[in-house]
Amino acid sequence: MLAVVRTATALPRLLDVLSLLADDRRVQVTFTYDSGNPARFHAGLREHLEAIQARVIPWRDATQRRFDLAIAASENDRLAELDAHVLLLPHGLGFQKYYPRSHTIAGMDAAQLLDGDRVVPAAIGLSHHAQRHELDAACPQALPHATVIGDPCYDRMLVSRHRTRRYRAALDAQRTTLVLLTSTWGPDSLYATWPELPERLVGELPLDAYTVALSLHPGVWSAHGPYQVRAWLDHARRCGLRILPASEGWRAALLSADVVIGDEGSLSSYAAALDKPVMLATRDSATTVPGSLADALRSRAPALDRALPLRTQLDDTIATYVPGSYRDLAAVTIEYRGESAGVLRDLCYRLMELDEPDRPSRYPPVPDPEAETSRVASIVAGGRITGTRLAIERYPSRVDLPDATAISLPNQHVTADLDEAHWHELDSATVLHTDHPVEAPGTVAAEQLRRWPAARAVACGAGDGTCTVAFRDGTSVRVHTAATPPPDTALLATAAYLCRVVHGELPDRQRIETGPAAAEIEFTHLP
């Protein structure tokens, strides 16, 4: 069996199908890509294949051998050169996009589907029978080869829904509202038209109440290169943004998300099909096929207004979303929902002329997301005490927000991580902290207070919900909580600082609340 991989976008599509045959010892899978006819976004493909430890042969060798079945997720490879039954799969949700500057639907290019009078694919997979109309208009000769298979990518997400808690934990979003930001590629994409949105989101949303993750289309990574993409996103990453890898991780994040902000790419459509609140943050795209799910979302999904505060818009969308709002759209886009594994495996074995195994056909769950992020090193915090309740709100302090969204909190101050913050962040911070256990917290605190004259307190954490806070006037206190998971040292230090500033002296106990989380903390004065 031959897997023809054109781009990093196509690879997960092929792996979904291959997972249905993975344990059949009669089937040997070999991968190839056509280096002589590369895709626009071919960069990084070899690395993706190396990451899965695939057996890869050159395209020339692939064309000189006989295969029982070749699967591909793009008609743009020179599939006519292969000696094999070819199964052509869509590389997105349905057929929703035109090729740039054309009215040729991606996946239905007659010039690629035909080799003279011969239809190259033995089978052309459609996600819904309604797509037969588009195929008939694009390439009527290919219509007899069309077969409805449903959507393996969607069904694989369906069988992974029970792992949502695990996926949220991997994104450190157990107790927060998870916002997933998605962008396709091209001039009409979210990242092309609003590149500052990731940074603005992490700047406007409280750290302890929201988690923001970003999934960029593999074409963005390929076109600009991982170095450049990471460089552009470094500021937002240092402020807490979770950056998902190019080819995987987005499905787990999509299942876990409380709200999805996207454009007219496939991820927004998948979010709608999964019954998630969706917001669109771009203008209409000229490459969207009329009548597609992506096209329908233009009028159904609320728009994210860049002139208004983002938090209010997100909260309103989540609060007012009616489950099932997009059910009718998904129903005319994806057929055999939850059943594509059986349909697709039966098709593959028929094309290979092999007896299908008698065991059930099932997809494996999607893998855990592995996002790039970093600890937020400099935080602007504030809070107000009402009785025994201390409500704390925190934001990254490194984001330069417009005046209209500038942060203003009661008893506002800045905390900075002694081990992670930049020099200028430490130089202006009111509270300094470290999570590295030290043998003599008092000595370390005194040294840091001498080094940073603007600081009024230094906290040394022990990593177990306990820290020692030393104030500039010479008093010290031990802060402890039994909460699980324990608050970070920066939060414990902020609580101690706020209690000291507001009360003038520290109480024995205090309840702190940060967004949806709460913890009881104890203060013990040290000699």
Side-chain angles (χ1 to χ4, degrees), residues 366-388:
V366 298
D368 294 350
E370 297 180 359
E372 297 180 32
T373 190
S374 66
R375 186 165 54 193
V376 181
S378 181
I379 298 171
V380 57
R384 181 178 286 109
I385 295 177
T386 305
T388 60

Side-chain angles (χ1 to χ4, degrees), residues 8-343:
T9 310
L11 181 57
R13 297 281 171 174
L14 303 181
L15 294 178
D16 288 342
V17 178
L18 294 176
S19 70
L20 301 175
L21 296 79
D23 58 353
D24 191 335
R25 287 184 289 275
R26 299 173 298 171
V27 179
Q28 165 68 57
V29 180
T30 301
F31 292 75
T32 191
Y33 58 93
D34 189 355
S35 58
N37 176 39
R40 179 179 182 181
F41 300 130
H42 71 282
L45 180 56
R46 183 182 65 183
E47 290 76 10
H48 285 294
L49 289 169
E50 290 175 351
I52 65 170
Q53 299 182 327
R55 179 175 181 262
V56 182
I57 63 173
W59 180 258
R60 179 180 177 84
D61 292 352
T63 62
Q64 295 176 351
R65 293 177 51 184
R66 166 66 188 170
F67 291 91
D68 297 292
L69 176 63
I71 60 172
S74 171
E75 81 276 32
N76 293 315
D77 282 309
R78 294 178 289 185
L79 301 176
E81 297 181 3
L82 299 175
D83 184 8
H85 295 302
V86 175
L87 169 58
L88 182 62
L89 306 166
H91 68 269
L93 177 54
F95 298 86
Q96 304 197 95
K97 292 292 181 182
Y98 293 120
Y99 285 117
R101 297 175 297 279
S102 79
H103 281 87
T104 300
I105 298 176
M108 295 185 177
D109 187 353
Q112 303 298 329
L113 294 175
L114 299 176
D115 180 29
D117 294 331
R118 180 176 72 94
V119 177
V120 175
I124 301 172
L126 308 179
S127 65
H128 195 279
H129 74 271
Q131 294 153 9
R132 294 174 60 87
H133 174 74
E134 282 85 0
L135 182 60
D136 187 29
C139 184
Q141 302 96 314
L143 188 60
H145 298 255
T147 180
V148 179
I149 60 172
D151 190 296
C153 180
Y154 175 76
D155 279 2
R156 197 171 172 196
M157 286 189 281
L158 289 185
V159 302
S160 306
R161 289 175 295 180
H162 64 288
R163 292 197 174 195
T164 298
R165 184 170 58 180
R166 170 175 172 162
Y167 298 150
R168 290 181 69 95
L171 294 168
D172 196 23
Q174 301 97 312
R175 299 185 178 183
T176 61
T177 297
L178 178 57
V179 181
L180 177 60
L181 186 62
T182 76
S183 177
T184 187
W185 63 277
D188 296 327
S189 68
L190 184 149
Y191 194 57
T193 58
W194 198 348
E196 67 276 11
L197 180 56
E199 187 171 308
R200 186 174 162 190
L201 272 172
V202 293
E204 288 192 35
L205 300 178
L207 278 173
D208 300 300
Y210 297 83
T211 299
V212 182
L214 171 67
S215 176
L216 295 176
H217 190 281
V220 178
W221 292 91
S222 179
H224 301 288
Y227 164 80
Q228 186 62 75
V229 173
R230 290 190 178 100
W232 284 334
L233 294 172
D234 184 65
H235 191 187
R237 180 187 60 82
R238 282 178 50 81
C239 294
L241 180 69
R242 274 71 169 165
I243 305 171
L244 295 164
S247 62
E248 193 51 90
W250 65 267
R251 291 189 283 195
L254 199 59
L255 287 167
S256 307
D258 295 293
V259 63
V260 177
I261 303 173
D263 47 29
E264 294 178 25
S266 285
L267 268 66
S268 299
S269 296
Y270 276 123
L274 290 169
D275 203 18
K276 297 285 182 177
V278 178
M279 303 189 76
L280 297 183
T282 57
R283 60 177 181 262
D284 291 351
S285 173
T287 62
T288 300
V289 174
S292 65
L293 196 159
D295 180 51
L297 279 178
R298 289 171 168 174
S299 58
R300 293 280 193 94
L304 188 67
D305 190 336
R306 65 182 68 196
L308 299 175
L310 301 181
R311 181 181 181 182
T312 301
Q313 296 181 71
L314 292 175
D315 289 348
D316 287 347
T317 296
I318 295 171
T320 60
Y321 180 71
V322 178
S325 293
Y326 304 119
R327 186 179 296 121
D328 59 323
L329 302 183
V332 296
T333 306
I334 306 171
E335 208 161 344
Y336 296 128
R337 284 176 289 174
E339 301 175 3
S340 70
V343 174

